[in-house]
Amino acid sequence: MGDGRELTTTCVIAGAGPAGLMLGYLLARAGVPVTVVEKHGDFLRDFRGDTIHPSTLEVMEELGLIDRFLALPHTRAPKLTAQMGGQTITMADFSRLPVKHRFIAFMPQWDFLNFLAAEAARYPHFRLIMNAKVTGLIEAPQGLGGLVVETQEGPLAIRSRLVVGADGRNSIVREKAGLSVESFGSPSEVVWMKLSKQAGDPNEVMGHAGPRQGFVLIDRGDYWQCGYVVRGTTFAEIKAKGIKAFRQMVADVSPLPSSRVEEVVTFDDTSLLTVRIDRLQSGGGRG
Ligand SMILES: Cc1cc2nc3c(=O)[nH]c(=O)nc-3n(C[C@H](O)[C@H](O)[C@H](O)COP(=O)(O)OP(=O)(O)OC[C@H]3O[C@@H](n4cnc5c(N)ncnc54)[C@H](O)[C@@H]3O)c2cc1C
């Protein structure tokens, strides 16, 4: 890394989320020198991407990672059921999929990312720099020539032939490269929260109540991960009504005893997932 202020690699990736880390792993495995930079110091993000779908498990199978991956603590849902009009119906049955692992694995995203980072670190061409926030791009005659990152030791210039922005929805790489996004709006919002699991609770791995009001219940072993699907309003409007009103909305649709929702003390105990559909606009940008 020279004096710690500049380094050169073949591919630099902004963001160590699922996209950035998986790409980093694949490139390192193929012998391409790659550096992934992540602004956080760890992967702890509550409720993020906790469902690992059969298609992802198939990729892990093809990469020869599946046995070590499934050795990590997780719960499995071979089926998804829903309560509708007082009846339990099967929403999804993975047993017919043309893949080897026919279930959704529930695992915190930080376990998934720690696993990928550890597997990638087996390859000498892989480098992950945590606490490294991208602040700018390095311009080169033919396009981008790298990234400028802010690290605990000060600014670092990473020169690279290929620059990848995997820094999430509000990508700074995309913004600085002048790429614009066409947004198709937000079809739904889900408010996630944790409620304790107690004797007599439903025997569900993943339940869903509907159809007018969605409520998702995921068995996380010692607690329930609950998702309240916002309908006909926005979470901002719900918040304006106060936590008591929100608890009542949840209690009205949750199959758990209504007293359980008292565990949501403030809105800080919730995490909002806004499902948004965006598309990169063609043209423009700086390479
Ligand atoms: C509350 C919630 C629940 C979700 N539940 C599920 C689920 O159950 N199943 C599922 O499949 N998906 C779920 N998702 C979606 C899933 O988390 C995302 O699809 C996935 O994380 C996207 O991966 P990504 O690598 O593209 O981006 P991200 O995961 O957003 O990763 C981007 C990374 O870039 C880093 N970064 C950002 N800016 C910079 C910068 N300037 N410099 C350096 N690093 C930077 C961020 O810290 C982050 O680590 C959920 C999302 C949320 C918010």
Side-chain angles (χ1 to χ4, degrees), residues 72-117:
L72 298 174
H74 65 279
T75 43
R76 298 180 180 196
K79 264 187 190 186
L80 301 182
T81 58
Q83 302 292 329
M84 285 197 189
Q87 287 189 7
T88 302
I89 63 156
T90 300
M91 299 272 286
D93 179 352
F94 304 115
S95 66
R96 295 176 195 186
L97 289 178
V99 292
K100 189 161 174 204
H101 306 280
R102 297 171 179 169
F103 53 86
I104 286 183
F106 291 103
M107 180 188 293
Q109 195 184 71
W110 59 83
D111 283 351
F112 177 63
L113 296 179
N114 276 322
F115 174 82
L116 265 186

Side-chain angles (χ1 to χ4, degrees), residues 78-266:
K79 264 187 190 186
L80 301 182
T81 58
Q83 302 292 329
M84 285 197 189
Q87 287 189 7
T88 302
I89 63 156
T90 300
M91 299 272 286
D93 179 352
F94 304 115
S95 66
R96 295 176 195 186
L97 289 178
V99 292
K100 189 161 174 204
H101 306 280
R102 297 171 179 169
F103 53 86
I104 286 183
F106 291 103
M107 180 188 293
Q109 195 184 71
W110 59 83
D111 283 351
F112 177 63
L113 296 179
N114 276 322
F115 174 82
L116 265 186
E119 289 296 329
R122 292 170 183 251
Y123 295 99
H125 289 308
F126 181 80
R127 183 193 275 131
L128 172 62
I129 310 178
M130 302 298 283
N131 290 310
K133 183 176 179 179
V134 176
T135 53
L137 308 180
I138 298 173
E139 303 273 348
Q142 275 87 32
L144 296 184
L147 294 175
V148 179
V149 298
E150 196 56 48
T151 70
Q152 286 172 332
E153 294 79 37
L156 169 70
I158 306 177
R159 300 191 184 278
S160 176
R161 282 167 57 193
L162 179 65
V163 177
V164 177
D167 47 343
R169 272 186 184 179
N170 304 310
S171 167
I172 187 160
V173 173
R174 190 176 64 209
E175 183 199 313
K176 298 249 177 204
L179 298 164
S180 50
V181 163
E182 191 179 350
S183 185
F184 294 87
S186 166
S188 67
E189 293 182 312
V190 184
V191 186
W192 291 103
M193 67 211 97
K194 284 179 187 175
L195 296 179
S196 64
K197 223 175 122 187
Q198 294 179 22
D201 283 352
N203 186 18
E204 292 270 8
V205 176
M206 182 170 180
H208 191 285
R212 283 193 202 90
Q213 184 61 58
F215 189 79
V216 182
L217 196 64
I218 303 174
D219 183 353
R220 302 308 299 263
D222 52 352
Y223 67 92
W224 294 107
Q225 179 177 329
C226 302
Y228 178 84
V229 183
V230 177
R231 289 265 191 276
T233 180
T234 63
F235 186 49
E237 285 163 354
I238 291 177
K239 273 178 115 169
K241 290 185 184 153
I243 192 72
K244 233 175 132 184
F246 174 65
R247 283 199 212 111
Q248 190 56 53
M249 290 178 197
V250 175
D252 287 347
V253 291
S254 162
L256 302 174
S258 55
S259 57
R260 197 78 52 86
V261 81
E262 301 294 324
E263 294 170 11
V264 180
V265 179
T266 71

